[in-house]
Coordinates of all heavy atoms in Angstrom, one line a residue:
Chain A
R56 N 63.0 77.3 67.7 CA 62.8 76.7 68.9 C 61.2 76.6 69.2 O 60.7 77.5 69.7 CB 63.4 77.6 70.0 CG 64.9 77.7 69.8 CD 65.7 78.2 71.1 NE 65.0 79.3 71.8 CZ 65.6 80.4 72.0 NH1 66.8 80.7 71.5 NH2 65.0 81.3 72.7
G57 N 60.7 75.5 68.6 CA 59.3 75.3 68.8 C 59.0 74.3 69.9 O 59.7 74.3 70.9
I59 N 58.6 70.9 72.1 CA 59.7 70.0 72.4 C 59.2 68.5 72.5 O 58.1 68.3 73.0 CB 60.3 70.5 73.7 CG1 60.9 71.9 73.5 CG2 61.4 69.5 74.2 CD1 61.0 72.6 74.7
S71 N 69.0 66.9 84.1 CA 69.7 68.2 83.8 C 68.6 69.2 83.2 O 68.7 70.4 83.5 CB 70.8 68.0 82.7 OG 71.8 67.4 83.3
C72 N 67.7 68.7 82.4 CA 66.8 69.6 81.7 C 65.9 70.2 82.7 O 65.5 71.4 82.6 CB 66.0 68.8 80.6 SG 65.3 67.3 81.3
A73 N 65.4 69.5 83.7 CA 64.5 70.0 84.8 C 65.3 71.0 85.5 O 64.7 72.0 86.0 CB 64.0 68.9 85.6
R74 N 66.5 70.7 85.8 CA 67.3 71.7 86.7 C 67.6 73.0 86.0 O 67.5 74.0 86.7 CB 68.7 71.0 87.0 CG 69.0 71.2 88.5 CD 70.3 70.5 88.9 NE 70.1 69.0 89.0 CZ 70.8 68.1 88.4 NH1 71.8 68.6 87.6 NH2 70.7 66.8 88.5
I75 N 67.8 73.0 84.7 CA 68.1 74.3 84.1 C 66.9 75.0 83.6 O 67.0 76.3 83.3 CB 69.1 74.0 82.9 CG1 69.9 75.2 82.6 CG2 68.3 73.6 81.7 CD1 71.0 75.1 81.7
C76 N 65.7 74.4 83.6 CA 64.6 75.1 83.1 C 64.3 76.4 83.9 O 63.9 76.4 85.1 CB 63.3 74.2 83.1 SG 61.9 75.0 82.5
P77 N 64.3 77.6 83.2 CA 64.1 78.8 84.1 C 62.7 79.0 84.4 O 62.4 79.9 85.3 CB 64.6 79.9 83.1 CG 64.5 79.3 81.7 CD 64.6 77.8 81.9
A78 N 61.7 78.3 83.8 CA 60.3 78.6 84.1 C 59.7 77.4 84.9 O 58.5 77.4 85.1 CB 59.6 78.8 82.8
A79 N 60.6 76.5 85.3 CA 60.1 75.2 86.0 C 59.0 74.6 85.2 O 58.0 74.1 85.8 CB 59.6 75.6 87.4
A80 N 59.1 74.6 83.9 CA 58.2 73.9 83.1 C 58.5 72.4 82.8 O 57.6 71.6 82.7 CB 58.1 74.5 81.7
M81 N 59.8 72.1 82.8 CA 60.2 70.8 82.7 C 60.3 70.2 84.2 O 60.9 70.7 85.0 CB 61.6 70.8 82.0 CG 62.1 69.4 81.6 SD 61.1 68.8 80.2 CE 61.9 69.6 78.9
K82 N 59.6 69.0 84.3 CA 59.6 68.4 85.6 C 59.9 67.0 85.6 O 59.6 66.3 84.5 CB 58.2 68.6 86.2 CG 57.7 70.0 86.5 CD 56.5 70.1 87.4 CE 56.1 71.5 87.5 NZ 55.4 72.1 86.5
V103 N 58.8 65.4 82.1 CA 57.6 65.8 81.4 C 57.6 67.3 81.2 O 58.3 68.0 82.0 CB 56.3 65.3 82.0 CG1 56.3 63.8 81.8 CG2 56.3 65.8 83.4
I104 N 56.7 67.8 80.3 CA 56.8 69.3 80.1 C 55.4 69.9 80.4 O 54.4 69.3 80.1 CB 57.3 69.7 78.7 CG1 57.6 71.1 78.6 CG2 56.3 69.2 77.7 CD1 58.4 71.5 77.5
D105 N 55.4 71.1 80.9 CA 54.1 71.8 81.2 C 54.1 73.0 80.3 O 54.8 74.0 80.6 CB 54.1 72.2 82.7 CG 52.9 72.9 83.1 OD1 52.1 73.2 82.2 OD2 52.7 73.3 84.2
Y106 N 53.3 72.9 79.2 CA 53.4 74.1 78.2 C 52.7 75.3 78.7 O 52.7 76.3 78.1 CB 52.8 73.6 76.9 CG 53.8 72.8 76.1 CD1 53.5 71.5 75.6 CD2 55.0 73.4 75.8 CE1 54.4 70.8 74.9 CE2 56.0 72.6 75.0 CZ 55.7 71.4 74.7 OH 56.6 70.7 74.0
R108 N 53.7 76.8 81.2 CA 54.8 77.5 81.9 C 56.0 77.7 80.8 O 56.7 78.7 81.0 CB 55.4 76.8 83.0 CG 54.4 76.6 84.2 CD 55.1 76.0 85.3 NE 55.9 77.1 85.9 CZ 55.8 77.7 87.0 NH1 54.6 77.5 87.7 NH2 56.6 78.6 87.4
C109 N 56.1 76.9 79.9 CA 57.3 76.9 79.0 C 57.4 78.3 78.3 O 56.5 78.8 77.8 CB 57.3 75.8 78.0 SG 58.7 75.6 76.9
I110 N 58.7 78.7 78.2 CA 58.9 80.0 77.5 C 59.7 79.8 76.3 O 60.3 80.7 75.6 CB 59.6 81.1 78.4 CG1 60.9 80.4 79.0 CG2 58.7 81.5 79.5 CD1 61.8 81.5 79.6
F111 N 59.9 78.5 75.9 CA 60.6 78.2 74.7 C 62.0 78.8 74.6 O 62.4 79.3 73.6 CB 59.8 78.5 73.5 CG 58.5 77.8 73.4 CD1 57.4 78.4 73.9 CD2 58.5 76.4 73.0 CE1 56.2 77.7 73.9 CE2 57.3 75.7 73.1 CZ 56.1 76.3 73.6
C112 N 62.7 78.7 75.7 CA 64.1 79.2 75.7 C 65.0 78.3 75.1 O 66.2 78.6 74.6 CB 64.5 79.6 77.1 SG 64.6 78.2 78.2
G113 N 64.7 77.0 75.1 CA 65.5 76.0 74.5 C 66.7 75.5 75.4 O 67.6 74.8 74.9
Y114 N 66.8 76.0 76.6 CA 67.9 75.5 77.4 C 67.9 74.0 77.6 O 68.9 73.4 77.6 CB 67.8 76.2 78.9 CG 68.3 77.6 79.0 CD1 68.1 78.4 80.0 CD2 69.0 78.2 77.9 CE1 68.6 79.6 80.1 CE2 69.5 79.5 77.9 CZ 69.3 80.2 79.1 OH 69.8 81.5 79.1
C115 N 66.7 73.4 77.8 CA 66.6 72.0 78.1 C 67.2 71.3 76.9 O 67.9 70.3 77.1 CB 65.2 71.7 78.4 SG 64.1 72.2 77.2
V116 N 66.8 71.7 75.7 CA 67.3 70.9 74.6 C 68.8 71.1 74.4 O 69.5 70.1 74.1 CB 66.6 71.4 73.3 CG1 67.1 70.8 72.0 CG2 65.1 71.2 73.4
D117 N 69.3 72.3 74.7 CA 70.7 72.5 74.6 C 71.5 71.9 75.8 O 72.7 71.5 75.6 CB 71.0 74.0 74.7 CG 70.9 74.5 73.3 OD1 70.6 73.8 72.3 OD2 71.1 75.8 73.1
V118 N 70.9 71.6 76.9 CA 71.7 71.0 78.1 C 71.6 69.5 78.0 O 72.5 68.9 78.6 CB 71.2 71.6 79.4 CG1 70.0 70.8 79.8 CG2 72.3 71.7 80.3
L124 N 66.2 65.4 73.6 CA 65.0 66.3 73.4 C 65.3 66.9 72.0 O 66.5 67.2 71.8 CB 65.0 67.3 74.5 CG 64.7 66.8 75.9 CD1 65.0 68.0 77.0 CD2 63.3 66.4 76.0
H126 N 63.5 70.1 69.2 CA 62.4 71.2 68.9 C 61.7 70.7 67.6 O 62.5 70.4 66.6 CB 63.0 72.5 68.7 CG 63.5 73.1 69.9 ND1 62.7 73.6 70.9 CD2 64.7 73.5 70.3 CE1 63.3 74.1 71.8 NE2 64.6 74.1 71.5
F147 N 54.4 63.3 75.6 CA 55.6 64.0 75.5 C 56.6 63.4 74.4 O 57.5 64.1 73.9 CB 56.4 64.1 76.7 CG 57.5 65.1 76.8 CD1 57.5 66.2 76.0 CD2 58.5 65.0 77.8 CE1 58.6 67.2 76.0 CE2 59.6 65.9 77.8 CZ 59.6 67.0 77.0
Chain B
P84 N 66.9 84.6 80.6 CA 65.5 84.8 80.0 C 64.7 85.7 80.8 O 63.7 86.3 80.3 CB 65.0 83.3 80.1 CG 66.1 82.5 80.4 CD 67.2 83.3 81.0
R183 N 75.1 81.0 72.1 CA 74.5 79.7 72.0 C 74.6 79.1 70.5 O 74.5 77.8 70.3 CB 73.1 79.6 72.5 CG 73.1 79.7 74.0 CD 71.7 79.8 74.5 NE 70.8 78.7 74.1 CZ 69.6 78.7 74.3 NH1 69.0 79.8 74.7 NH2 68.8 77.6 74.0
Ligands
SF4_1 S1 62.2 75.5 76.6 FE1 63.0 76.5 78.4 S2 61.1 76.9 79.6 FE2 60.6 75.4 78.0 S3 60.9 73.4 79.2 FE3 62.8 73.9 78.0 S4 64.1 75.0 79.5 FE4 62.0 74.9 80.3

Side-chain angles (χ1 to χ4, degrees):
Chain A
R56 305 202 310 242
I59 297 156
S71 290
C72 51
R74 223 177 284 127
I75 206 166
C76 179
M81 193 70 82
K82 295 189 182 80
V103 289
I104 195 166
D105 182 355
Y106 280 124
R108 301 191 65 106
C109 181
I110 56 170
F111 300 99
C112 64
Y114 278 172
C115 50
V116 175
D117 276 359
V118 86
L124 298 169
H126 288 289
F147 190 24
Chain B
R183 286 173 63 194

